[in-house]
Amino acid sequence: MPIKTYHLRYVALLVMVLCVGCQAGAKPAAPTLAPLPTPTAVPPPAWQDRDTYRAAMLEAAADDVTRIEAPTFYQIEAYVDITAHPPRVYAIQNTHYSNSTETTLDSIFFRLFPNKPGYGTALTLERVTAEGEEVELHFQSEGTALGVALPNPLPPGQSVDLHMEYDVTVPVENARGYGTFNYQGDILLLSNFFAMVAVHEDDGWNLSLAPDYGDPVFAETSFFTVELTVPQDMVVVTSGTTVDRRDNIGETTTWTCISGPMRDFMVVASDRFVQSSTAVGHIRLNSYYLPGHQQAGEQVLAYARDSLRAYQQSFGLYPFAELDVVEAPIQSGVEYPGLVVLAEQHYEHSGELTEFLVAHEVAHQWWYSMVGNDQVNVPWLDESLSNFSTIYYYEHTYGQARAELAFENFVARSYRQAKEEGRDGVVLQPVAAFAPQDYGPIVYGKGAVFFYELREKLGDATLLDILQDYFEDRKYKLAVPGDLLRVAEIVSGQELDGFYTEWILSAE
């Protein structure tokens, strides 16, 4: 057979076979595809990476950065113009917020405390975006609460990135709110100058506003990276730890500071500060004071050192790498995470009251900073316990007799006097429910006496076990009175509702 004829027949036969196969439903084999590569996870920026904040912790407590469930991360670049009248802070803020509630959120609320009535200042927003989109804004609580409408609902467990640009005017010689948001005597105090995420509770966002004689902050534990640019001759003291400082063209310096897990971030700056330092174990303890106040500044440092030792032994480890105590033109003393501000008068006329105030404010590092609470509506939970805790400072430093005397003079006497004058009151009330003259005797006095009497009832060893367990149970979290009562009853094995009602929920 000729090759050409064979070839034609072979092709025809092959076509017939293929056609029959197609009619029978046969399918050609699918080609083999190479597996797709696994996408590489994009790491978060450093300010959203928990490991970044280990540098602000003791080595023994560095893993605490992993204990916070769904924390908020703040990145703030702030530029201080001290020559403006009044001084101004220009800020760019990025906030990474995770919805840890059980509710899908349409808005996120921030507290804008520079807008608090009476300050005469403002936090003026220039730009706000969520996930890069412009958003609607609405204000509540006399301008101190900002609602940011999200472009898309935020389900539980999901996160959103928000960007803000704003400027803040700082009041001059301002005594409102203890004077901690103020520029006076060449000292700049920037308490709550930034946009702070509000707390979302079961019934919605908590937007309560405290009067001037109460602490305003109710906040979840978060992480902060703050870059503050100031004149080169200013010393900057903040919550957390300074990790970088660089001089810029134009005679300014940028300080980069990070926090551990903290629920607030305070800044104090001045070109007048003198510094003394010491250590408690691996904790760096700093005292900043004005020229001419070295003796008082170093005495304050010693009080803070002994307080830190006493409370670590009594309640648990202070986990941060440093603690600062700063002289400033304020009223009395005010606590912040990792930082205590003390009034100038206590350096000019240092005495027993100064010692007590330092012990009280350092105790707040446990009760408010690490174990948080609603300071506006439930102020006794941290103030009463901090005032009572001073008894451990005095017992550790001087012995029981001196501790009893200090507790009587600085704590119990004010309550006893108010009671004799017919001004007894219920301890569990919001700040605004108290007249200014009654707030101290009832919250700082009667509430602290409750703990004193509880120690008498249960014994010192049992009460210390209660406080240690309460600290570990609510560390970096928010506490309510029921948490304290629950732990106390479990540890003591006693029912304490009646005792609690008598002291905290009742008045004669």
Side-chain angles (χ1 to χ4, degrees), residues 119-331:
Y119 280 175
T121 60
L123 187 158
T124 304
L125 294 161
E126 304 293 341
R127 185 182 181 215
V128 180
T129 63
E131 297 296 342
E133 297 185 27
E134 301 289 336
V135 291
E136 293 184 7
L137 308 177
H138 47 281
F139 294 86
Q140 295 186 29
S141 194
E142 301 185 72
T144 66
L146 167 70
V148 177
L150 300 176
N152 299 295
L154 186 67
Q158 298 300 305
S159 301
V160 63
D161 289 303
L162 302 107
H163 176 86
M164 296 181 178
E165 299 172 16
Y166 53 85
D167 74 86
V168 181
T169 52
V170 181
V172 176
E173 298 185 358
N174 168 51
R176 303 291 292 269
Y178 300 117
T180 58
F181 181 55
N182 187 20
Y183 181 64
Q184 183 173 337
D186 297 322
I187 299 175
L188 178 69
L189 297 111
L190 295 180
S191 174
N192 317 134
F193 77 95
F194 60 96
M196 177 186 295
V197 176
V199 173
H200 191 281
E201 300 180 296
D202 291 341
D203 57 352
W205 294 96
N206 185 314
L207 306 179
S208 300
L209 184 61
D212 286 341
Y213 52 89
D215 294 317
V217 172
F218 178 35
E220 301 273 9
T221 295
S222 304
F223 292 100
F224 296 84
T225 296
V226 178
E227 293 186 1
L228 192 73
T229 300
V230 298
Q232 280 185 1
D233 54 359
M234 293 190 90
V235 173
V236 173
V237 188
T238 73
S239 299
T241 297
T242 298
V243 293
D244 185 52
R245 188 175 68 182
R246 67 178 186 276
D247 291 335
N248 308 311
I249 298 174
E251 299 185 348
T252 64
T253 298
T254 298
W255 298 64
T256 302
C257 308
I258 61 172
S259 74
M262 294 179 170
R263 63 188 73 250
D264 194 1
F265 194 92
M266 177 59 171
V267 175
V268 188
S270 178
D271 60 1
R272 301 175 61 200
F273 282 148
V274 180
Q275 178 184 352
S276 294
S277 301
T278 189
V280 177
H282 295 289
I283 302 165
R284 181 178 176 83
L285 187 57
N286 304 305
S287 176
Y288 295 88
Y289 48 88
L290 299 179
H293 293 169
Q294 180 176 355
Q295 182 176 353
E298 292 185 349
Q299 187 62 67
V300 163
L301 184 67
Y303 296 151
R305 177 200 64 205
D306 293 343
S307 297
L308 204 55
R309 288 172 175 167
Y311 300 148
Q312 287 200 110
Q313 184 174 339
S314 299
F315 312 134
L317 179 68
Y318 178 84
F320 306 118
E322 66 180 78
L323 174 65
D324 303 314
V325 185
V326 187
E327 177 181 2
I330 68 164
Q331 301 173 36

Side-chain angles (χ1 to χ4, degrees), residues 10-29:
Y10 175 81
V11 171
L13 179 62
L14 180 60
V15 170
M16 288 177 63
V17 170
L18 290 175
C19 289
V20 171
C22 292
Q23 292 173 359
K27 298 180 180 179

Side-chain angles (χ1 to χ4, degrees), residues 6 44 75 113 129 131 162 167 180 204 206 237 242 254 269 296 306 335 347 356 376 388 437 450 466 474 488 490 499:
Y6 174 84
Q75 181 199 39
F113 288 115
T129 63
E131 297 296 342
L162 302 107
D167 74 86
T180 58
N206 185 314
V237 188
T242 298
T254 298
D306 293 343
E335 75 281 358
Y347 292 78
F356 174 80
V376 180
F388 168 73
Q437 67 271 20
F450 159 74
I466 289 169
R474 305 313 299 168
I490 291 172
F499 187 82

Side-chain angles (χ1 to χ4, degrees), residues 30-68:
T32 301
L33 299 178
L36 293 175
T38 303
T40 302
V42 178
W47 64 275
Q48 294 181 28
D49 184 350
R50 294 171 189 252
D51 286 342
T52 296
Y53 302 94
R54 291 177 179 270
M57 308 294 289
L58 292 177
E59 184 177 354
D63 286 344
D64 279 10
V65 299
T66 66
R67 290 182 56 165
I68 319 305

